[in-house]
Amino acid sequence: MSGFSVTSRSSSKAGQPWYGRRGFDEWSLGAILTLGIIGLFICVVLPIYTLLSKSVENKDGDFIGLANFVQFFETPSLFSSISNSLFIALLSTVIVTSLAFLTAYGISRTRIPFKGLFRIVLVLPILAPSLLPAISLVYLFGNQGILKDVLMGASIYGPIGIVIGSCFWTFPHALMIMLTALANTDARLYESAEVLGASPMRTFFTITLPAAKYGIISVAFVVFTLVITDFGVPKVIGGQFNVLATDIYKQVIGQQNFEMGATVSMILLLPAILTFITDRWLQRRQSALLTSRAVPWTPPIRKVVDKAFFALMIVVCVVILGVIAMAVYASLVTFWPYNQTLSFKNYNFDLMDGGGWDSYWNSIQLATYTALIGTGFIFFQSYLVEKLAGFKLLKWFFHLFAILPLAVPGLVLGLAYIFFFNAPNNPLNGIYGTMTILVVCTISHFYTVCHLTATTALKQIDSEFESVSASLKVPQIVTFWRVSLPVCMPAVLDIASYLFVNAMTTVSAVVFLYSYNTSLASVAVLNMDDAGDIAPAAAMAVMIMLTCMVARLVHWLLGNVILKHTQHWRQR
Amino acid sequence: MTQKSLMKRLSILAGIATVSIATQAAQTELTVYTAVEAEDLKKYAARFNEEHPEIKINWVRDSTGIVTAKLLAEKSNPQADVVWGLAATSLMLLKNEGMLQSYKPEGYDALSSKFKDTSADPVWTGMDAWIAAVCYNTVEAGKLGLPKPTSWADLTNPVYKDHIIMPNPNSSGTGFLDVSSWLQIFGEDKGWEYMDGLHNNISRYTHSGSKPCKLAASGEIPIGISFAFRAAKSKKSGAPLDIVFPTEGLGWDMEATSIIKGTDKLEAAQTLVDWTVSKKANEMYNEGYAVVAMPGIAKPVEFFPENAESLMIDNDFEWTAANRVEILAKWQERYDSKSEAK
Amino acid sequence: MSNKAYLELNNIDQMFGTYQALKNVSLNIKEGEFVCFLGPSGCGKTSLLRIIAGLDTPTSGSILQAGKDITYAPVNHRDFGIVFQSYALFPNLTVADNIAYGLVSKKFSANDRRVRVTELLATVGMSGSEGRYPAQLSGGQQQRVALARALATSPGLLLLDEPLSALDARVRAHLRQEIKQLQEKLGVTTIMVTHDQEEALTMADQIVVMNQGVIEQIGTPQDVYAKPNTPFVAEFVGEMNFLSAEVSGVGVMQSAGLTLRCDQSSHLTIGDPAQLAIRPEDVRFQTEGEEDNKMNAKVLHLEFLGSRMRALLELENHERPILADISMNEMAELNLIQGQSVVCQLPHDRLHVFGGKA
């Protein structure tokens, strides 16, 4: 048998059909993947590159090396923004990380009641634009604030306000990462510790904390980046306390100094990239940790501990609800503080800056397009990256481009989009000032998390589905439609809802890109606050929050009612 | 935006060459950039459309700094057709960049010379004057025992420490006219000295020119340096405000109109600009502004002093425009960082 | 060897970077044969299967199926059904939809599909499970559904990638028989990848033993077991004792202090190093008649294995102890106990001789 006469190797190559070993199926999907890469290249890589080159150019577009950076570091007021930014970001990071750890611990490691309810309340801030807490703080602690005396004469306008506001809106992000980190502890470790007679304290420091280590580090980096790149909160409540993010805004909007804006952007990119690299590194470490199968752990009854955590939960929830309630109340007061009768006067947005009710409908439109187009594009591209055979180099590039947006703050991306898409020699400059650029920018901005969500879900389905269907001569796209998509439906809904909510609440990227007929609700909040119409700004923020709540409710209904019907295969 | 136009844009995105399907509608649409107060925009458009229903105005409204920045950003690919209601100092900046279309509108000669671009090929036309004013919240000032200021100099009195808000000249046209007027009233050195003193009393600088008055109206701060139009509006809406017109003289800027060079709807743009200097338009400006471009039109406006025009300083716009960058840089260096100066 | 090969693999090489996963693999498979690729993990058996399926492309070499060159044919241009270790059943589709999955594209009418599904379910012994979902089935049942799905389109070739390794021992033994019977009934040419020698021995018509990217031996289960070509095969298939030795004469080997007679080995000359190998069950204790290769041994250890007893023997004049399996019947007569001395024999016709050092 094995002694079969040797056939010439070259003759076998001659038998290769013109399309190679890939069928039409794979080639066309490969072409779509290529289009996806080109799309990401245009929407992420090129704008960033343009921004980078702007930072080393003068107003006339001549290359001047690092002169802009030298100028930045020589301007004391600009330079002081760095230390301000660092201070705010570090303080917020410490506060949010510890609070998130404690609350996540309360949810996953204690026996307190109402965990589901607490969880819902704790993530509420994610549904509101980051400006909402800042506006609310004005009403709580401003000069006419109802709790002004609590500050004992200190002003809310400045670092105190920025830190509280930042903590409020970054907290849910931190909590969600922390919950995941704490969810993965092996009961067997706790049992061993108990058998070995370790004290609860010792168990905490030797098991609980180390297991959550990567989660904690990850949270710290994420919060740090979110805070240092956010300009909404410092803009509203920062007073004279300048931070890097508001500097960019001022350089560009106030002084028309685009080159300096680009320069500050590059500086802002540094912590973001550092975070990004650390996070990538951690993820690799963490996934190695989680390979073994853990036994779920049921927390013991610890009366004192449970009571303490219950109290903590109550306090945190009251603060969150209080901040939200204050914004809602303020939006309903006719003329704060002199006419406290309730009315919807402040919801008459058409008389204010910011684009009126049109901006609200524009936001709905943006969020809907972003959710539909974004989810479709991201999920299908992730599917191709995960499940299409071959095209290794393309996939590598795709993954790189898909991860990149995580390292680019919205403010930087928005600025990059102006430079890139408004260049007269760019054939795509027709989309400048349209809804399209807002949709493209928003999808790009939030690409990474969606891509990773999709990838994670896709990784969980059997890698042999495509091989099986190919062997059954079923085109891969049919298998995508009949199997992969339905199986990943929960993840698809997550992505859509994530995109919708973020498109509703985001300010940072789109603030540079909206135009007369595409003004947005979130930007309107900023502009109304800017013009001193704080109550209407609160009203619009409340509208955004309510809309996001409705979106989440729809998501929940789809996930729990409709999907339950179509996903009963999940039950045994 | 409609689904159809989105699809169209997407097809452009996909690199598919599409022939523009914009059918020439009966209505011409003009993109008009403005810093006019938001609540007045509908009125402006409606009055204009009474006479010219064939032209539709698409407003892009933002504060002076932002509109100026936007226009500059879009220099190589302008989006606006017309600017209607932007600070003249900003328009001068754009003029220097060669972005404005020279045009002498019908009725140009009838305007008072203060409101005209006096160069041979005028590019902008003034509408109305926009004058500085101080909003003083009687209720909050009463609680804090703050006397009512009457002059700019009064505001440096240490009793006002942390009780004054003014707009940041880097982003607000109002802020800039304040600063440039102080430099003209007190002279350069004294002017900066004055601002040093004022800075000690400033609680914070806002981005927008109307915000200080709105904050004063809501009691967030007792004293807000703003402009007369906003002050009158806030007082009218029931805020416990007194409007102070400092005795040394009032800085002012004018709102002006211009056509952006390169617009493909020049004819419609000219029609609009012609209307903006018309008698009817001036009467409309007068509903909010005490001083307008066409002589003999202005009637007294509620809460404005009758002698408003005489209180206005003799503003040297050429000097202001020429020194704008330096003034702003110097201002920023001195005051734009709390950690430094406070 | 065969007059008509259904599947021909010619000089297949597979490189992953600098690592050579397959080295010059050639193999012919006759129509209707059940072939097992057997070897430890990393031996290249799965790589070979994936090349046959078209999931990977060989670096060089060619594959012919039914006379047609399919070396570079896309997966969906080939004619095979496949069952993976994970079964890869579509979780959101019912059993019926899973089985009918490939029938849709074959332009079966809905009714034909239903008939075919019923028929296949009957074939794999799962009639009436049409409406159930994979998650509601046991591992063995999922295995059957996967098999039915792979067979639904009546492929010319059935590929099984470690199909039984995820099941527990009892189910595995049972399914082994069923798959074999089904294959015989349908007559479909089948290739199964496995690392379990017992599975290969019980199911295959031909076993292809692979190691480090090369084929060590191709043969029937009996051949492979009784006449291993290489020490690797000898050790991997079944149990084997090895003694290093040197050729000391024609049909005579010297291993430490032992002189052993064995069958003439053609390619070895006197002085060559060699390895002698014997299976534990071939060590004899009832030694009437033959006198060759007898020796004294000491029972170091006894291990009860249910149907037999395994003894660890220390041979006289040899430092390397060997294993011997003794049936319980024989044990009843011998009555061995630990520490006892006994006479044993390594029959010359059961001694395997391999050239070279261990």
Side-chain angles (χ1 to χ4, degrees), chain A residues 415-542:
Chain A
L415 205 55
Y417 265 48
I418 302 189
F419 291 140
F420 180 69
F421 284 102
N422 200 31
N425 54 0
N426 186 334
L428 295 174
N429 65 15
I431 72 166
Y432 187 74
T434 65
M435 182 60 86
T436 309
I437 198 172
L438 294 177
V439 172
V440 169
C441 180
T442 310
I443 295 174
S444 305
H445 184 186
F446 298 106
Y447 201 97
T448 309
V449 171
C450 302
H451 173 73
L452 294 177
T453 309
T455 308
T456 310
L458 286 162
K459 270 192 202 303
Q460 282 166 357
I461 50 180
D462 200 311
S463 57
E464 309 293 8
F465 283 175
E466 283 67 33
S467 308
V468 166
S469 60
S471 80
L472 295 170
K473 301 186 174 39
V474 175
Q476 189 169 353
I477 190 77
V478 173
T479 304
F480 168 78
W481 187 251
R482 283 195 66 191
V483 180
S484 313
L485 184 63
V487 168
C488 291
M489 212 26 129
V492 171
L493 284 180
D494 283 348
I495 293 171
S497 139
Y498 173 86
L499 283 175
F500 187 93
V501 167
N502 276 298
M504 279 307 290
T505 56
T506 186
V507 179
S508 54
V510 292
V511 75
F512 294 106
L513 299 173
Y514 72 98
S515 78
Y516 67 87
N517 54 359
T518 57
S519 57
L520 298 172
S522 51
V523 178
V525 175
L526 188 75
N527 284 340
M528 288 194 278
D529 173 81
D530 226 11
D533 297 318
I534 302 177
M540 187 64 97
V542 168

Side-chain angles (χ1 to χ4, degrees), chain A residues 43-102:
Chain A
C43 298
V44 178
V45 182
L46 284 181
I48 303 289
Y49 171 76
T50 316
L51 182 76
L52 188 77
S53 57
K54 278 276 168 189
S55 71
V56 291
E57 284 173 6
N58 64 11
K59 268 197 163 44
D60 301 321
D62 305 321
F63 179 79
I64 50 164
L66 296 176
N68 286 330
F69 291 88
V70 172
Q71 196 196 335
F72 174 84
F73 286 104
E74 281 174 353
T75 312
S77 61
L78 287 179
F79 189 60
S80 74
S81 302
I82 291 186
S83 58
N84 285 354
S85 272
L86 286 176
F87 169 72
I88 293 290
L90 284 174
L91 189 57
S92 307
T93 302
V94 170
I95 296 172
V96 172
T97 308
S98 6
L99 259 186
F101 180 80
L102 290 174

Side-chain angles (χ1 to χ4, degrees), chain A residues 93-141:
Chain A
T93 302
V94 170
I95 296 172
V96 172
T97 308
S98 6
L99 259 186
F101 180 80
L102 290 174
T103 44
Y105 187 93
I107 287 176
S108 56
R109 300 289 171 81
T110 67
R111 288 238 179 156
I112 56 169
F114 309 119
K115 279 183 185 173
L117 191 67
F118 284 140
R119 224 182 139 136
I120 291 173
V121 173
L122 292 176
V123 297
L124 269 188
I126 219 166
L127 301 180
S130 64
L131 302 160
L132 182 132
I135 292 171
S136 194
L137 289 176
V138 170
Y139 286 101
L140 286 167
F141 303 107

Side-chain angles (χ1 to χ4, degrees), chain A residues 1 21 462 473 482 572, chain C residues 57 72 78 86 92 135 218:
Chain A
M1 246 181 342
R21 66 173 206 88
D462 200 311
K473 301 186 174 39
R482 283 195 66 191
R572 296 216 68 159
Chain C
T57 315
Y72 297 100
R78 300 183 183 213
S86 64
N92 61 324
I218 302 172

Side-chain angles (χ1 to χ4, degrees), chain A residues 392, chain C residues 13-22 47 57-59:
Chain A
K392 285 211 174 79
Chain C
D13 279 318
Q14 171 84 317
M15 303 287 298
F16 292 117
T18 56
Y19 171 69
Q20 189 159 14
L22 292 173
S47 301
T57 315
T59 312

